């Protein structure tokens, strides 16, 4: 590897990479360990790495200039318990990160790509396509931003405040969910490298269990993740339990149909000993009927997976909505009666466009326009559903 010393991103290097960097800079190898010990504590500004010689600090500061993202928007919801950040990187690409504070947990929802190539028609991020991959550094930095906010009690000019949480809740990040913009397994190397930083016991120190990677089901990548031997929590975005409907709602299903996905999940569970989670974005009159509920329950039982139901957040330009409360409750009850475990999730941040991808979508697209990706799929799904053939 040749290092570009004019645009360095320290988090994009692993520990070996840091050693190589020190060698190139004519520094002893142990300096790499010193730098790493700051990075894992969330300090990415070389000028704050006080045990390094001043000249090295300055050299690193020059080389890494611009790698810290700029906070371009900040929305607060749920009385200060949910904070959504729009972060812009040096090339102008912006992504979203959400910090959710609970009494005993502080969860950060992070993005892995600017945009997404998977084209799920109900998802705001999916509408604009893939803009670019994030580097491992850009993924980790989102956690750093949240960590610094929790440690200092403020972000930019905004105080986090107690937000009705006893003692203000944790002062550090306890959980990370890869559920922001993008498909983590379509950016697998950077995702894995970022997991390694977050898992580092000397730093962020997150247990593998408190890290959740969410995927639409890129089957070969699920196997690679299982090979890591880390018991990460795997969330599979299912949304449909029959291939006919899933082909439309989650287009990657045409490449990796349910039977393959089920197999990958079984293997993941066997290798890691971890129970997999199924995510189900509940869309009114699309995937909230008894046929889907029964098929979901059968699949969840076979996979021994827990189902999380998330009522669909409104997405700019998409006319589907969450079902009525009655239909939602009936769906959950039906799955439960069929013997699967299921939880109806709270929809954090509803009041500020906080579903991932929506802050950016709202800024760039404006409301009301049906986007091309959504249009074709929505028409096909509506035809399937009204023809009673979604099964
Ligand atoms: N690409 C990955 C991870 C990011 S999406 C994946 O799809 O799993 C994170 C979660 O948000 C997914 O479960 C996704 O289906 C869900 N989601 C996307 N758009 C949504 C919407 N409009 N309402 C509710 N959930 C949505
Ligand atoms: Fe991409 Fe996930 Fe959105 Fe699908 S739901 S378009 S995979 S971010």
């Amino acid at each position: 590897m040749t290092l570009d010393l004019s645009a360095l991103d320290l988090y994009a290097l692993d520990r070996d990479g840091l050693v190589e960097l020190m060698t190139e800079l004519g520094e002893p190898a142990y300096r790499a360990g010193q730098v790493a010990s700051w990075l894992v504590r969330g300090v990415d500004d070389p000028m704050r790495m006080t045990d390094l010689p001043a000249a090295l600090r300055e050299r690193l500061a020059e080389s890494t200039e611009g790698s810290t993202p700029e906070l371009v928007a900040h929305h607060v919801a749920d009385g200060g318990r949910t904070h959504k950040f729009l972060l812009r990187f040096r090339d102008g690409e912006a992504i979203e990160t959400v910090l959710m504070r609970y009494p005993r947990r502080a969860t950060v929802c992070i993005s892995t790509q600017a945009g997404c190539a998977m084209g799920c028609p109900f998802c705001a991020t999916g509408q604009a396509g893939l803009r670019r991959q994030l580097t491992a550094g850009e993924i980790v930095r989102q956690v750093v931003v949240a960590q610094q906010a929790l440690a200092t009690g403020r972000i930019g000019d905004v105080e986090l405040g107690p937000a009705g949480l006893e003692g203000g809740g944790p002062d550090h990040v306890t959980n990370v969910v890869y559920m922001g913009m993008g498909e983590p397994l379509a950016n697998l190397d950077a995702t894995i490298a970022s997991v390694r930083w977050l898992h580092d016991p000397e730093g962020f120190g997150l247990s593998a269990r408190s890290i959740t990677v969410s995927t639409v089901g890129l089957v070969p990548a699920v196997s690679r993740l299982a090979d890591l031997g880390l018991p990460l929590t795997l969330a599979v975005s299912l949304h449909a339990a029959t291939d006919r409907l899933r082909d439309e709602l989650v287009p990657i299903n045409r490449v990796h149909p349910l039977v393959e996905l089920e197999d990958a999940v079984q293997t993941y569970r066997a290798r890691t000993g971890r129970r997999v989670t199924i995510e189900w974005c509940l869309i009114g009159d699309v995937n909230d009927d008894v046929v889907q509920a029964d098929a979901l329950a059968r699949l969840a039982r076979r996979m021994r997976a827990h189902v999380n139901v998330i009522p669909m957040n409104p997405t700019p330009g998409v006319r589907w909505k969450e079902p009525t409360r009655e239909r939602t409750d009936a769906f959950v009850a039906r799955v439960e009666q069929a013997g699967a475990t299921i939880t109806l999730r709270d929809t954090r941040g509803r009041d500020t466009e906080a579903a991932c991808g929506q802050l950016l979508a709202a800024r760039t697209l404006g409301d009301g326009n049906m986007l091309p990706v959504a249009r074709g799929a929505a028409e096909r799904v509506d035809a399937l559903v009204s023809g009673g053939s979604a099964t």
Side-chain angles (χ1 to χ4, degrees), residues 2-75:
T2 342
L3 294 169
D4 177 1
L5 296 181
S6 65
L8 269 183
D9 179 350
L10 296 175
Y11 282 114
L13 303 174
D14 55 15
R15 281 173 184 264
D16 290 345
L18 290 174
V19 171
E20 193 188 325
L21 171 65
M22 290 306 143
T23 312
E24 269 191 46
L25 294 176
E27 295 285 338
Y30 69 84
R31 297 259 184 250
Q34 288 175 303
V35 172
S37 72
W38 287 104
L39 292 175
V40 294
R41 279 179 278 156
V43 176
D44 61 344
D45 174 3
M47 295 312 280
R48 289 175 56 206
M49 301 183 179
T50 47
D51 55 355
L52 301 181
L56 177 59
R57 266 186 264 164
E58 272 162 33
R59 181 74 214 271
L60 288 176
E62 243 168 62
S63 299
T64 57
E65 205 191 324
S67 59
T68 304
E70 188 194 343
L71 180 69
V72 288
H74 176 192
H75 282 239

Side-chain angles (χ1 to χ4, degrees), residues 270-337:
R271 292 239 196 112
T272 61
R274 294 292 288 146
R275 175 185 274 254
V276 170
T277 304
I278 290 175
E279 303 290 315
W280 191 279
C281 169
L282 197 64
I283 311 173
D285 298 322
V286 170
N287 65 356
D288 61 346
D289 55 72
V290 292
V291 175
Q292 288 298 322
D294 291 347
L296 166 61
R298 282 193 297 275
L299 204 53
R301 286 183 60 180
R302 285 204 303 272
M303 292 179 177
R304 300 206 199 134
H306 183 88
V307 182
N308 277 322
V309 171
I310 313 120
M312 185 188 157
N313 267 300
T315 299
V318 177
R319 64 173 180 271
W320 294 328
K321 295 188 197 59
E322 67 177 300
T324 59
R325 186 70 212 202
E326 293 72 44
R327 261 182 96 89
T328 304
D329 290 345
F331 183 86
V332 170
R334 179 97 184 186
V335 174
E336 220 159 34
Q337 274 155 19

Side-chain angles (χ1 to χ4, degrees), residues 122-123 179-180 182-183 214-216 237 239 279 281 312-313 315:
F122 54 88
C123 166
M179 289 192 180
E183 165 54 43
S214 178
T215 178
V216 273
S237 294
H239 313 314
E279 303 290 315
C281 169
M312 185 188 157
N313 267 300
T315 299

